[in-house]
Amino acid sequence: MPDFAARVLSIVRRIPVGRVATYGDVAAAAGSPRASRAVGNIMRNCASRDVPCHRVVAAAGRLGGYGGNLELKRALLRAEGLTVTRTVIREFRDRRWPSAAQGRPGRRIQPAARARAKTGKSRAT
DNA sequence: ATCATGACATGTT
DNA sequence: TAACATGCCATGA
């Protein structure tokens, strides 16, 4: 269903200059907050140059990946007025996409995912 | 507290 | 089916 992809592209295109969004944010805006991987995949295609895939970064302000030209991504970000360190963006949460809820009042837990995330290993006591 | 690892979730290719 | 430019949580060191 290309809808998702189209939606993602549309969203990424709406990212203003000097601002960045995470795959998760884009995915969430696209309708599936868990489809961050899908977003990355779609970006990888980068069918449209109108899509500033370089403005899409990983969580925590990390750049994430960029088809072998990761430094290019950093350069682009810096060129937009962002401050990027070796691995993360400074003031990231301050430069986050306005629509992406800057305020993160604690992380919501997902009982479902968490229940399976236990790896089934021996848990303490 | 931080880094790394394991596992699952979600969608496209 | 498996891989991927991820994310989140919990655990282990």
Side-chain angles (χ1 to χ4, degrees):
Chain A
M1 211 191 259
D3 281 351
F4 188 79
R7 203 189 303 285
V8 169
L9 296 173
S10 181
I11 290 157
V12 176
R13 282 178 13 164
R14 292 195 292 208
I15 299 176
V17 180
R19 215 108 314 163
V20 288
T22 71
Y23 294 98
D25 285 346
V26 178
S32 296
R34 308 273 189 308
S36 37
R37 267 174 126 154
V39 175
N41 224 337
I42 292 159
M43 313 250 48
R44 182 158 63 128
N45 283 323
C46 223
S48 312
R49 302 204 314 254
D50 301 288
V51 183
C53 25
H54 66 266
R55 278 188 215 148
V56 185
V57 300
R62 290 192 307 219
L63 295 181
Y66 203 88
N69 282 74
L70 183 56
E71 56 181 287
L72 172 61
K73 189 171 182 175
R74 274 204 316 212
L76 291 166
L77 260 26
R78 287 178 65 115
E80 300 202 341
L82 286 161
T83 313
V84 185
T85 69
R86 184 159 114 154
T87 49
V88 311
I89 298 167
R90 288 207 198 203
E91 301 185 306
F92 166 68
R93 46 190 297 164
D94 193 55
R95 309 238 26 164
R96 220 223 282 182
W97 193 20
S99 259
Q102 304 172 7
R104 290 193 51 211
R107 348 211 155 187
R108 59 286 239 218
I109 54 175
Q110 318 268 70
R114 174 197 344 168
R116 300 168 202 201
K118 298 284 246 176
T119 79
K121 276 184 120 164
S122 62
R123 70 284 267 64
T125 188

